[in-house]
Amino acid sequence: MTSNNQVLEKVIIKFAGDSGDGMQLTGTQFTNTAAMFGNDLSTFPDFPAEIRAPQGTIPGVSGFQLHFGSVNIFSPGDFCDVLVAMNAAALKANLANLKKGGTVIVNSDGFDPKNLRLANYFDNVSPLTDGSLEAYRIISIDVTKITKAALADSGLGTKEIDRAKNMFVLGFLYWMYNREMSFTIKFLEDKFSKKPEILAANIKVLHAGYNFGETSETAPTRFTINPAPMPSGIYRNIMGNQATAIGLIAASKKSGLDLFLGSYPITPASDILHELARHKNFGVKTFQAEDEIAAICSAIGASFGGKLGITTSSGPGIALKTEAMGLALMLELPLLIINVQRGGPSTGLPTKTEQSDLFQAVYGRNGEAPIPVIAAKSAADCFETVYEACRIALEYMTPVIFLSDGYIANGSEPWRFPNADQLKPIKVEFTTELNSEKFLPYKRNENLSRPWAIPGTKGLEHRIGGLEKQHETGNISYDPENHEFMVKMRAAKVEKVADSIPDQTIDNGTEKGKILVLGWGSTYGAIKGAVIEARAKGIDVSHAHIRHIVPFPKNLGDLLKNYETVLIPEMNTGQLKSIIRDKFLVPAIGLNKIKGMPFATSEILVKIEELV
Amino acid sequence: METTNTTTPAMTSKDLVTDQEIRWCPGCGDYSILKQVQTVVPELGIPREDIVFISGIGCSSRFPYYMETFGMHSIHGRASAIASGLKATRPELSVWIVSGDGDSLSIGGNHFIHLLRRNFNVNLLLFNNEIYGLTKGQYSPTSEEGKITKSTPMGSIDHPFNPIALALGAEGSFIARSMDRDPVHLKDMLRRSNAHIGTSLLEIYQNCNVFNDGTFELFTEKSSKKEETIFLENNKPLVFGQNLDKGIMLDGFKPIIVSLENGKYSVNDLWVHDESDLTKAGILSRFFERPVDGTGHLPRPFGVFYENNRACYETGLNDQIEFAKQKKGEGSLDALLKGGETWEIK
Ligand SMILES: Cc1ncc(C[n+]2csc(CCOP(=O)(O)OP(=O)(O)O)c2C)c(N)n1
Ligand code: SF4
Ligand SMILES: [Mg+2]
């Protein structure tokens, strides 16, 4: 049959099902197909905290949200247009995030009495039939049954047949959104090259889904989302943790230093370890240490030896690393500490996102212990930001803290990746000559940075340690004047980093005005979207997003004073706000969300409107 | 661990002395250990710049400041972890860890066992004085039960570690014991530690004459040393005693002391030490009773309990890198940046 075709600007689809339903794969495939087609997009996966949460229950629901469009997309979006629910629990868990009038595509087999009970729909009353979904458009398909029928003579077992269900849904969505299936077919061919029966089954079910759209009258409308106006160039899709790992390897290559990662697995940082472990042919060494302390200490050992020492973790692990961070700053060795933040405190919300480790990064050490802090704003931005973090660490001989969070770590977006030769070189010089009659390990250069003389360098044997040290000689010193001098010197060195960073720019809006929305980290997309909408409504509001938090760009204080109101949205109780108020005496206002969830654009927009 | 290189002019122990004033208490056992290390290291033929001493925190951990090599005085308990990262990335260096009983067995216990298991080719000198020296005399994880210290006025109720047994349990590949008061033996054990390829654990009984004076007296003083100690030598029978008049035999798995004087047993009947025998090393490690009344207990062994050559972590790590490079070719940054699927927007 022929159906209507409607052109849309942007769509948000949430794929939700049981952990075993393959929703992450379905979402990723649809995403990559959209990316290839030229849409701009942003994604956010939402995993259950337990690996094997009971099947059919709400804690077992795994989700993947995709926002794609023919316009620029800055975040995975707030409320979805389409919800794919493979069972009753998936519907229950996500219905609140579906727009009124939105579409629900359900697998009706996932609403049998058992699934209803597990999802806490009592008395066998299915939401599909009790009228409770009247506000939405329901497309109910018995995916399980059709998949079984399609594969009746495939010779595959029930389990394998059941696993192909997600391909039906994907095929159906490809039909609904006028998409080619070739990308996914090629993906399946690669993935199942050694299992021809499974390959054939998946492709068959994918087509079955597509054809179902074509022939049944379930969804009379098809949609077209045209390519987005993106800067010309070659793109790939990238997730934050992947971009971080690649950025680290790029810094290793550009600085000529082998990369050493000391790490201990923790959600949501582990994927950086996994990704780096795959790239041994870049000379990358990954070391899964016995704990986070050993992880950072091994990285310090590697840095002492003249390598690019890196450690990755999340809040609880960063807490364990604290003492060693202090050591690294006393040793004045380059070191990268990566915190992919998650909900805290303590074990907190391991699979949820938060920005609540900013104080920990800025202040969380014993003694006067300043360390540069830098934060990425989006999945792709992790690349450039972590590269910049490595530059600072190496040029200033200092540990640097790089902040990411679960949201951008697992989220993805199109990335116009650079060529290797477009990357700024990172200068590293080991000292090989005496800098005085006797080697002075703490004699500083114009950056206030000390020489890096690595073991194996004849004539430069010296000792460093965590005890307070005398200016220049590095000898242990308990002299009161010297201590004060050295504390100030270490702080001055960190402040000096500001000489090498760009001035704070305005992302959107004007250099002066009524309201400035100031953000840091992963709130970028939501703020960006909100400020665009507010400006479209004629509101005098601008957006600035900080990458360098310690030290701040030199012009930041003056810039903030150009606005009547500074609004700082954060996924914490107001940590940047406190720092800004303290540093610049600006009466910044907070917008705070501590739900383990990113901001919705609308939440920020409402606040902006309230301030007008 | 073993590294040799003979191109540079001979180093002397003087070349290893730094300009730092030594801050240990007069009479501390640490002085002797420093002296023996400074005597042995020049013999090893390793260029001074290729030697690194890494320590934690404690009196013993001041050691690197007194060695004119590369060095790091780090944080409490973590020297092994730092040394692991250094050795992983700079396998050609001669890496020595200096640590105390509190440093390695209490706060750094985790790194200690994992270092041994991974078998990095480094030397770990464990200065065991059975006390926390630097913090002025609290009991340590090797202090005996009942020990009265500032933190245990009624006597310690902690059961102590047996460091050798712990190291064996942690899959250590070289495990030896020596003492500050026997320079000849200590030097020999330092050479052996250096020669072993893999993690060499050398426990050194060290007298803290301020907070735990005389703990090891029975083993170190002339008057009792011969009766209370047994010096292990590979392929030699276990003989000890004032006039080498006693030996150890194995009755099944039970070690027994026999007299070599009454004509009943001769040296040929004794247990012959075999450094490669893990089971017997386990039994030897349990020669650990505290001599209470001086009779009937087994003597304390000194020497190499166990040595076994197995792969070192850093070798495996570097082999994997080489293999990956051979198989996939040296990584291309452009290819990495590009990744798998790309699309062009004109
Ligand atoms: C994190 C931390 N906790 C506690 C201390 C205090 N401290 C310093 S040395 C030490 C114990 C030292 O004992 P040991 O390792 O046996 O060395 P020794 O002084 O006996 O040579 C302690 C508890 C510290 N420096 N750092
Ligand atoms: S306190 Fe004990 S271990 Fe420390 S230096 Fe003095 S004697 Fe040596
Ligand atoms: Mg001690």
Side-chain angles (χ1 to χ4, degrees):
Chain A
M1 64 167 280
T2 47
S3 34
N4 307 325
N5 199 337
Q6 196 180 332
V7 177
L8 297 178
E9 247 189 4
K10 50 187 178 180
V11 175
I12 301 171
I13 306 179
K14 174 95 181 228
F15 301 84
D18 206 65
S19 318
D21 285 338
M23 288 297 100
Q24 300 299 330
L25 183 117
T26 312
T28 311
Q29 283 303 306
F30 196 94
T31 300
N32 291 349
T33 296
M36 296 288 169
F37 181 74
N39 295 131
D40 194 5
L41 58 86
S42 173
T43 73
F44 183 54
D46 171 14
F47 313 107
E50 290 83 22
I51 307 292
R52 295 256 175 271
Q55 227 180 348
T57 63
I58 290 172
V61 173
S62 165
F64 185 98
Q65 185 157 319
L66 164 66
H67 188 184
F68 66 112
S70 59
V71 291
N72 290 126
I73 303 291
F74 304 104
S75 74
D78 311 347
F79 294 93
C80 52
D81 302 293
V82 178
L83 169 63
V84 175
M86 295 300 279
N87 63 14
L91 179 74
K92 188 152 210 179
N94 289 289
L95 193 60
N97 277 328
L98 181 63
K99 282 181 193 159
K100 289 283 171 273
T103 302
V104 198
I105 302 174
V106 298
N107 172 18
S108 56
D109 186 55
F111 289 76
D112 64 7
K114 185 177 169 204
N115 271 297
L116 290 172
R117 184 166 35 82
L118 287 169
N120 300 336
Y121 285 111
F122 294 108
D123 301 326
N124 251 342
V125 179
S126 167
L128 301 184
T129 51
D130 72 354
S132 63
L133 298 180
E134 242 160 29
Y136 310 98
R137 208 158 70 89
I138 317 271
I139 302 177
S140 174
I141 311 171
D142 193 338
V143 179
T144 314
K145 194 166 133 203
I146 304 177
T147 305
K148 269 190 193 145
L151 297 180
D153 29 72
S154 63
L156 295 179
T158 329
K159 221 176 177 178
E160 282 152 324
I161 289 177
D162 208 46
R163 268 209 204 118
K165 275 190 326 228
N166 60 337
M167 285 299 126
F168 182 92
V169 175
L170 186 59
F172 181 71
L173 285 166
Y174 280 160
W175 175 82
M176 209 169 133
Y177 289 96
N178 271 308
R179 293 286 137 124
E180 299 266 325
M181 289 188 285
S182 55
F183 175 81
T184 293
I185 292 174
K186 186 171 172 301
F187 164 82
L188 292 169
E189 284 168 354
D190 290 347
K191 182 164 176 182
F192 298 117
S193 64
K194 296 205 178 87
K195 293 179 186 156
E197 337 71 66
I198 307 236
L199 171 64
N202 272 289
I203 293 182
K204 191 163 185 199
V205 177
L206 184 71
H207 279 110
Y210 196 94
N211 296 339
F212 183 84
E214 194 88 9
T215 52
S216 80
E217 297 190 8
T218 329
T221 312
R222 292 179 84 176
F223 303 97
T224 300
I225 291 94
N226 290 318
M230 314 251 287
S232 64
I234 304 180
Y235 286 77
R236 64 177 285 187
N237 200 38
I238 196 149
M239 300 203 298
N241 275 346
Q242 212 181 1
T244 303
I246 294 173
L248 293 172
I249 296 177
S252 156
K253 286 281 151 195
K254 285 295 196 174
S255 62
L257 301 180
D258 287 339
L259 187 163
F260 177 89
L261 172 74
S263 188
Y264 188 79
I266 186 168
T267 303
S270 302
D271 281 339
I272 303 174
L273 165 64
H274 304 161
E275 180 69 20
L276 287 173
R278 291 176 52 223
H279 297 297
K280 294 204 160 58
N281 61 326
F282 285 84
V284 167
K285 289 182 174 164
T286 55
F287 178 65
Q288 185 176 314
E290 56 272 25
D291 58 29
E292 282 87 350
I293 301 175
I296 185 171
C297 285
S298 63
I300 291 174
S303 290
F304 184 56
K307 308 295 174 181
L308 178 58
I310 297 163
T311 190
T312 48
S313 194
S314 188
I318 299 293
L320 288 175
K321 293 178 197 291
T322 307
E323 187 194 12
M325 282 158 57
L327 174 67
L329 96 93
M330 280 298 258
L331 299 177
E332 300 193 34
L333 282 173
L335 178 75
L336 211 71
I337 300 135
I338 295 180
N339 181 356
V340 185
Q341 299 166 95
R342 63 190 217 179
S346 187
T347 309
L349 301 168
T351 58
K352 303 290 173 194
T353 196
E354 209 159 271
Q355 297 182 299
S356 47
D357 297 345
L358 183 63
F359 278 169
Q360 183 193 37
V362 175
Y363 304 119
R365 287 164 295 281
N366 60 304
E368 296 288 349
I371 290 182
V373 178
I374 180 166
K377 66 181 182 189
S378 71
D381 186 56
C382 287
F383 176 84
E384 234 182 84
T385 308
V386 87
Y387 188 86
E388 167 73 349
C390 292
R391 176 194 72 82
I392 296 171
L394 292 166
E395 286 180 7
Y396 289 84
M397 293 289 284
T398 178
V400 173
I401 297 173
F402 166 80
L403 296 175
S404 164
D405 64 36
Y407 174 42
I408 54 181
N410 291 315
S412 76
E413 63 179 342
W415 178 40
R416 193 164 58 128
F417 55 92
N419 288 328
D421 54 20
Q422 290 169 325
L423 298 172
K424 266 195 283 176
I426 299 178
K427 277 189 306 219
V428 176
E429 257 177 81
F430 295 129
T431 299
T432 52
E433 304 283 328
L434 282 173
N435 55 3
S436 120
E437 208 171 308
K438 199 176 167 297
F439 180 57
L440 297 174
Y442 283 79
K443 192 175 161 78
R444 294 167 194 279
N445 67 11
E446 67 286 353
N447 282 345
L448 302 181
S449 167
R450 74 177 193 87
W452 197 3
I454 62 171
T457 315
K458 200 172 160 62
L460 299 191
E461 294 86 351
H462 66 282
R463 277 68 49 196
I464 54 178
L467 285 168
E468 183 59 284
K469 44 195 45 65
Q470 193 179 40
H471 178 46
E472 298 200 336
T473 67
N475 292 335
I476 300 172
S477 166
Y478 299 120
D479 176 62
E481 297 301 321
N482 178 74
H483 176 54
E484 188 163 319
F485 176 85
M486 290 299 276
V487 164
K488 289 181 176 165
M489 178 62 89
R490 287 186 287 265
K493 180 174 92 165
V494 169
E495 279 307 314
K496 200 105 179 95
V497 171
D499 289 350
S500 72
I501 66 178
D503 270 354
Q504 182 63 47
T505 54
I506 298 297
D507 188 86
N508 180 15
T510 52
E511 292 264 349
K512 260 191 170 60
K514 285 228 160 66
I515 306 171
L516 176 72
V517 186
L518 181 68
W520 71 277
S522 74
T523 51
Y524 178 76
I527 298 177
K528 176 96 180 172
V531 170
I532 289 175
E533 285 185 42
R535 291 181 64 81
K537 292 183 177 183
I539 300 175
D540 179 1
V541 58
S542 302
H543 174 199
H545 217 76
I546 309 180
R547 171 185 277 175
H548 293 272
I549 299 176
V550 174
F552 284 127
K554 285 179 166 171
N555 66 328
L556 183 63
D558 291 338
L559 187 70
L560 297 181
K561 292 180 176 124
N562 291 342
Y563 300 88
E564 287 168 25
T565 307
V566 174
L567 171 67
I568 305 183
E570 290 179 271
M571 294 186 282
N572 60 37
T573 56
Q575 300 189 7
L576 181 70
K577 182 190 70 182
S578 298
I579 296 172
I580 292 281
R581 284 181 173 190
D582 172 41
K583 188 108 186 159
F584 303 117
L585 294 174
V586 166
I589 298 170
L591 171 62
N592 305 94
K593 179 169 181 178
I594 319 116
K595 298 188 173 170
M597 305 248 297
F599 275 105
T601 304
S602 54
E603 289 166 336
I604 296 173
L605 184 60
V606 165
K607 183 73 187 178
I608 294 171
E609 286 172 336
E610 205 182 286
L611 289 174
V612 177
Chain B
M1 55 164 292
E2 184 174 44
T3 323
T4 37
N5 181 324
T6 44
T7 53
T8 32
M11 191 198 316
T12 67
S13 44
K14 280 218 185 75
D15 296 323
L16 291 173
V17 176
T18 67
D19 60 0
Q20 299 300 294
E21 189 192 332
I22 302 188
R23 299 285 181 89
W24 289 317
C25 308
C28 174
D30 290 348
Y31 284 96
S32 161
I33 306 176
L34 175 63
K35 180 144 191 294
Q36 311 326 320
V37 172
Q38 285 174 334
T39 310
V40 169
V41 166
E43 299 169 7
L44 305 175
I46 309 166
R48 195 172 64 175
E49 64 273 16
D50 288 347
I51 302 171
V52 185
F53 277 80
I54 299 182
S55 64
I57 296 290
C59 295
S60 38
S61 287
R62 289 297 178 96
F63 199 92
Y65 284 116
Y66 311 137
M67 286 293 293
E68 189 58 57
T69 62
F70 280 90
M72 188 195 293
H73 178 229
S74 73
I75 43 177
H76 201 19
R78 319 300 172 197
S80 291
I82 293 169
S84 299
L86 179 62
K87 190 68 186 179
T89 50
R90 299 287 309 276
E92 76 283 10
L93 298 174
S94 170
V95 178
W96 300 69
I97 299 161
V98 176
S99 176
D101 43 321
D103 197 63
S104 260
L105 301 178
S106 195
I107 194 166
N110 201 22
H111 313 310
F112 177 79
I113 55 177
H114 289 276
L115 177 77
L116 291 164
R117 155 177 93 78
R118 292 195 181 101
N119 203 34
F120 278 101
N121 186 14
V122 297
N123 305 315
L124 168 48
L125 309 182
L126 177 64
F127 291 30
N128 183 4
N129 54 10
E130 297 190 350
I131 200 82
Y132 284 1
L134 191 73
T135 44
K136 300 195 165 57
Q138 302 82 0
Y139 77 110
S140 91
T142 52
S143 301
E144 73 274 16
E145 267 177 61
K147 184 163 198 82
I148 304 223
T149 69
K150 281 182 195 157
S151 59
T152 51
M154 295 173 71
S156 159
I157 46 178
D158 276 33
H159 185 74
F161 264 136
N162 173 335
I164 301 285
L166 176 66
L168 277 168
E171 302 290 309
S173 69
F174 177 96
I175 297 165
R177 181 189 284 141
S178 190
M179 57 173 93
D180 54 0
R181 301 289 283 275
D182 191 335
V184 175
H185 186 259
L186 178 53
K187 279 186 283 202
D188 197 36
M189 288 300 107
L190 289 166
R191 289 182 199 105
R192 287 285 312 266
S193 298
N194 177 69
H196 174 69
I197 297 177
T199 302
S200 307
L201 170 69
L202 178 58
E203 181 191 19
I204 306 170
Y205 283 172
Q206 172 245 324
N207 191 40
C208 168
N209 56 309
V210 173
F211 297 111
N212 204 15
D213 196 24
T215 310
F216 302 115
E217 221 162 39
L218 274 180
F219 314 128
T220 59
E221 291 312 294
K222 255 210 173 102
S223 52
S224 53
K225 184 174 177 182
K226 293 223 157 121
E227 289 294 325
E228 296 293 342
T229 64
I230 184 161
F231 282 78
L232 307 170
E233 284 185 72
N234 204 19
N235 301 322
K236 299 262 173 71
L238 297 189
V239 180
F240 71 108
Q242 198 57 44
N243 307 306
L244 297 178
D245 53 344
K246 290 179 192 159
I248 313 274
M249 274 179 64
L250 271 178
D251 176 10
F253 288 109
K254 191 175 153 55
I256 48 172
I257 298 175
V258 295
S259 166
L260 301 175
E261 284 191 319
N262 55 17
K264 203 168 161 201
Y265 297 103
S266 82
V267 199
N268 298 331
D269 299 314
L270 301 180
W271 165 352
V272 175
H273 183 47
D274 175 0
E275 290 173 353
S276 69
D277 189 325
L278 181 59
T279 310
K280 286 189 179 155
I283 300 173
L284 277 174
S285 76
R286 294 289 164 190
F287 287 24
F288 198 59
E289 303 136 301
R290 288 270 160 184
V292 189
D293 53 9
T295 54
H297 61 270
L298 292 158
R300 192 67 61 97
F302 291 82
V304 178
F305 285 69
Y306 181 63
E307 180 171 21
N308 148 29
N309 288 310
R310 64 178 171 92
C312 298
Y313 185 97
E314 68 274 23
T315 314
L317 182 61
N318 284 294
D319 286 354
Q320 284 194 345
I321 301 241
E322 285 317 308
F323 183 75
K325 284 181 177 170
Q326 269 171 29
K327 211 174 130 213
K328 300 202 223 165
E330 184 85 36
S332 145
L333 185 51
D334 274 315
L336 180 72
L337 290 165
K338 184 166 175 292
E341 305 289 341
T342 61
W343 66 95
E344 189 171 359
I345 291 185
K346 297 238 162 68

